[in-house]
Amino acid sequence: SDTPLRFSGAPAITIPAGEETVSDPVELPVSAGEELSVSLYLPGDTGPTTFTAMPYDTGHAVPGNQLSAAVLEDPEEFATGHLLAGADVLAPAGTRIAVAFGDSWIEGAATTPGTDNSFPGRLSRRLKHGWIVNAGISGNRLLTDAIGEHLLARVDHDVLAVPGVSHVIIHIGLNDLGLPGHFAHPEPAEGPTAAEFKAGLTTLADRLHTAGLTVIGSTIGPYKGTVHEGYDTETGQTVRREINTWLLGDTHPFDAVIDIAAAVADPADPDRIHPDHNAGDGLHVNDAGAKAIADAVDVTLLDL
């Protein structure tokens, strides 16, 4: 299709720094699971743009205005995501929506780009009457801004503003525990205490429950032995174990908890990702690991 986007009827728009806009509706029949390609022409230098840094999908860039080109000439591939935040789609009555909210394990970093093999993507394909919106940001944290706003700051925009949302799946914590040491390496630096992290998760769950959503938490994935220097510390591992024990108990604030850690852990060393699921850096899972997580989810939890 060669369907033009309009903005209040105009074919072009200037978006101020830090702002966002929504196009006019487009008449374009689509089916669940189809890929949607959007072409943008930038006539001048934009300066720095907000982007997703980890390769998950594949885009193409070419010089000049090729908005109507059926085939791009000599395109340059890039795996970062720029400018487009999402597309709202009219769905059949009764379609239910869950948001997967969190870090790189949600976004799908280290899975094969262009295949939608993140665990939310794979889980979506198991659902009969619903879909999962991926709101993961690699490097994101629960309590601290660093790579993107922290979860407690972006919950309104990235979860509550999603049309039709009824459920939320959360995975967060790796970067809260590991990035302080990684950024400060070789100087020691510590992340939040278990008590601080539990309080943050409770605040997040309460905020989502107040909005009437079903909230599904998850254990923090394993990362022992990661190649990222300063990330794996004994203090961080101790806090992770305490948080996961709490999440698997009876006092957590969630409606249910997915044991993501157990789905991909090495049984001989549960703080480490199983070799079959390790993307190579000891911190992220590969396609097989994302599938193992999706397969471990009881879809009745989503009621979709």
Side-chain angles (χ1 to χ4, degrees):
S1 135
D2 185 15
T3 307
L5 282 178
R6 302 283 179 179
F7 300 87
S8 298
I13 190 169
T14 299
I15 304 173
E19 301 297 324
E20 60 183 40
T21 192
V22 179
S23 77
D24 299 340
V26 172
E27 295 284 343
L28 182 66
V30 295
S31 299
E34 273 189 308
E35 284 196 348
L36 176 68
S37 295
V38 179
S39 298
L40 303 174
Y41 171 54
L42 310 176
D45 185 359
T46 66
T49 66
T50 302
F51 68 99
T52 57
M54 297 298 288
Y56 179 61
D57 210 341
T58 303
H60 300 86
V62 292
N65 185 345
Q66 296 194 38
L67 288 177
S68 296
V71 177
L72 300 178
E73 296 182 11
D74 299 322
E76 176 186 349
E77 284 193 0
F78 61 92
T80 54
H82 295 262
L83 301 174
L84 183 64
D88 293 338
V89 181
L90 288 174
T95 300
R96 303 288 295 280
I97 299 297
V99 173
F101 191 43
D103 54 24
S104 56
W105 284 45
I106 295 287
E107 186 177 17
T111 57
T112 303
T115 60
D116 195 25
N117 274 342
S118 67
F119 101 76
R122 286 186 172 274
L123 184 57
S124 274
R125 296 194 282 275
R126 293 183 59 204
L127 304 180
K128 295 181 179 179
H129 304 292
W131 203 254
I132 299 177
V133 175
N134 191 322
I137 298 178
S138 297
N140 207 215
R141 304 192 210 181
L142 173 67
L143 299 173
T144 306
D145 289 343
I147 301 173
E149 291 182 312
H150 62 286
L151 254 62
L152 292 171
R154 66 186 184 96
V155 64
D156 286 335
H157 182 277
D158 291 352
V159 178
L160 300 182
V162 174
V165 61
S166 60
H167 292 65
V168 185
I169 302 171
I170 298 167
H171 180 271
I172 198 69
L174 290 167
N175 301 305
D176 292 83
L177 301 178
L179 279 183
H182 177 60
F183 286 158
H185 186 76
E187 298 297 324
E190 296 182 358
T193 65
E196 290 168 337
F197 197 84
K198 292 176 188 178
L201 284 178
T202 300
T203 299
L204 178 60
D206 289 347
R207 176 75 182 86
L208 295 167
H209 280 141
T210 299
L213 305 186
T214 298
V215 189
I216 302 170
S218 68
T219 54
I220 302 173
Y223 63 96
K224 181 180 177 182
T226 177
V227 300
H228 301 289
E229 294 182 344
Y231 201 102
D232 179 13
T233 65
E234 185 54 41
T235 299
Q237 293 289 358
T238 299
V239 171
R240 173 182 169 272
R241 294 185 204 106
E242 182 176 339
I243 293 168
N244 282 355
T245 298
W246 172 69
L247 288 168
L248 295 173
D250 299 324
T251 60
H252 63 75
F254 300 107
D255 297 292
V257 170
I258 303 166
D259 196 355
I260 281 180
V264 296
D266 184 345
D269 190 354
D271 292 331
R272 191 183 300 268
I273 298 174
H274 191 285
D276 291 346
H277 298 147
N278 187 354
D281 65 354
L283 178 62
H284 297 99
V285 296
N286 56 18
D287 290 10
K291 182 179 186 301
I293 295 171
D295 290 347
V297 177
D298 178 0
V299 292
T300 63
L301 294 176
L302 296 168
D303 191 27
L304 298 178

